[in-house]
Amino acid sequence: MSGNTITHKVTAVGERIGTTRDASVTRHRAARELGLRRSEFELAVQLGRVRTVPDDAGGGPRVPRDEIDRIRAADGFPEALRTGVRTVGTTEGAALMDVTTGRFTRLARLGLLVPVKFYVNRYRAVVWLYLAEELRQFSTDERNSALLRGRTPEGLRDQLREGLDLRPRNWRGRHLGFLLRQADDPWARAAAVASLLDPAEISDVVTDPYERSHLRRFRPELAMHSSPGSPAAQLADEIATATDPDEIDWLRSDLAAAVETARGHRPAPRPTPRAGPALPDPEPAPRGATEPAPRGMTELVRPGAEDLSPPEKERPRWLSGLLGRLRRGDS
């Protein structure tokens, strides 16, 4: 291959990367141009309201310039975009729905209101956050009037008395959807499912240690502001880990299927066997030499056989002549 051809290929790759980066911006800059705080922008990406693309140069995801132009040209920008990613806690959410905080909490524990985020405050209490837009839609739906104004049905009250709380599970289901939407690799999709399972469950489903190690490379980090290993981080990990038997079962099933798909797409890397030192070829044995008898076979050799001289006809001619002269000299 000529040097001109190699130069052409390197230049073409460089131009393609440059063009991709020129046609997109970093997430930080995109958030600034869209008038969103960082947390609002990240939620907009998770909800699929802002599209990102991989960075060909190996950096983090970027936002295409035409995506920013599309959002800015939409009706109601920027208020509509901010409204779509606004989150509220229990107190503000209850006020928005015009219900008591107690009723709001009961609706959330029953799984009727699904949290979109959570954090652990300085008192180690879990604070659930909800999309204000979804709460508004729930409160204006006439089918929910009895739940908002009437007495909670007896069956639901019994479940609440028994400790039912579907907020962690509903958050996990929603969070998994966010992760799968952003995963651009089969192994990343499998790692997203694995991130909600206890390590023992993962080892039981994925028995190959190299595949488990590959999954850990793609494992998404839980975005928390607490330091690793702190009580708040441990509590967050507990929330992010499935505990209900039926939830664990379907996650295990999904993980097995996702790993099977990823394995077919690209097997997990394995270490290359290290080649040992080359052994020299054995030297050829001298003509007439015999190999030593194996251990345990020496009893098959006749006693005194080593003292027997070879027959006269098998001796070399020069040896027979030498022996004859020696005998004549002795006589």
Side-chain angles (χ1 to χ4, degrees):
M1 185 176 294
S2 68
N4 291 337
T5 304
I6 294 176
T7 303
H8 171 75
K9 285 193 173 183
V10 172
T11 304
V13 172
E15 288 177 353
R16 184 171 66 250
I17 293 177
T19 302
T20 301
R21 292 181 66 84
D22 291 342
S24 62
V25 298
T26 64
R27 295 158 73 102
H28 178 74
R29 179 171 178 178
R32 186 171 65 250
E33 293 190 12
L34 294 175
L36 297 175
R37 294 192 297 267
R38 181 176 178 180
S39 60
E40 294 174 331
F41 176 81
E42 295 301 329
L43 183 56
V45 172
Q46 291 178 341
L47 293 170
R49 302 191 179 186
V50 176
R51 180 175 59 90
T52 62
V53 294
D55 183 3
D56 289 342
R62 298 171 65 87
V63 181
R65 171 61 63 184
D66 58 3
E67 176 71 358
I68 296 177
D69 295 340
R70 179 191 67 82
I71 296 172
R72 292 174 62 92
D75 293 339
F77 177 85
E79 289 76 13
L81 178 60
R82 292 200 192 101
T83 299
V85 295
R86 180 190 170 205
T87 59
V88 295
T90 298
T91 301
E92 192 174 358
L96 189 152
M97 297 176 65
D98 194 21
V99 297
T100 65
T101 56
R103 184 180 289 271
F104 183 95
T105 301
R106 289 194 296 272
L107 292 174
R109 288 178 57 189
L110 290 169
L112 300 174
L113 306 177
V114 181
V116 70
K117 296 171 61 177
F118 78 91
Y119 67 90
V120 181
N121 64 16
R122 59 179 179 174
Y123 304 107
R124 300 180 189 175
V126 179
V127 179
W128 297 102
L129 298 176
Y130 306 82
L131 283 174
E133 188 177 47
E134 290 184 352
L135 299 183
R136 189 178 297 106
Q137 292 173 357
F138 186 93
S139 62
T140 56
D141 192 332
E142 296 181 356
R143 293 172 297 181
N144 300 324
S145 299
L147 294 170
L148 295 171
R149 302 287 178 263
R151 184 177 176 83
T152 304
E154 184 64 29
L156 297 180
R157 289 204 306 270
D158 292 341
Q159 293 182 38
L160 292 172
R161 282 193 290 265
E162 293 172 359
L164 176 69
D165 189 351
L166 295 178
R167 288 175 295 184
R169 177 168 179 167
N170 282 343
W171 173 83
R172 286 192 294 269
R174 188 166 210 167
H175 183 62
L176 178 58
F178 292 162
L179 296 177
L180 293 176
R181 183 180 296 116
Q182 298 179 73
D184 56 0
D185 183 277
W187 283 104
R189 294 180 65 85
V193 179
S195 68
L196 302 183
L197 284 170
D198 184 89
E201 300 289 349
I202 299 174
S203 298
D204 193 38
V205 176
V206 186
T207 58
D208 189 313
Y210 297 109
E211 291 182 341
R212 291 199 301 272
S213 176
H214 201 47
L215 283 175
R216 284 193 290 272
R217 287 185 54 203
F218 289 92
R219 182 184 178 91
E221 294 294 333
L222 184 61
M224 297 298 295
H225 299 291
S226 52
S227 57
S230 64
Q234 293 176 3
L235 180 55
D237 287 338
E238 292 176 6
I239 293 174
T241 303
T243 55
D244 298 332
D246 61 327
E247 182 186 8
I248 293 174
D249 286 344
W250 69 257
L251 283 173
R252 284 170 57 100
S253 177
D254 283 359
L255 176 60
V259 169
E260 182 68 25
T261 300
R263 188 185 297 130
H265 173 74
R266 183 184 66 253
R270 299 174 183 277
T272 304
R274 181 177 299 177
L279 297 177
D281 294 332
E283 296 182 2
R287 176 174 293 185
T290 58
E291 295 183 358
R295 179 177 297 180
M297 297 295 289
T298 55
E299 65 274 8
L300 298 180
V301 182
R302 286 187 298 137
E306 66 278 6
D307 297 333
L308 298 178
S309 299
E312 188 76 18
K313 63 180 180 180
E314 295 182 4
R315 296 173 184 166
R317 181 176 300 177
W318 66 270
L319 181 57
S320 298
L322 176 60
L323 291 175
R325 288 195 297 271
L326 291 175
R327 290 194 189 103
R328 288 194 298 271
D330 292 340
S331 57

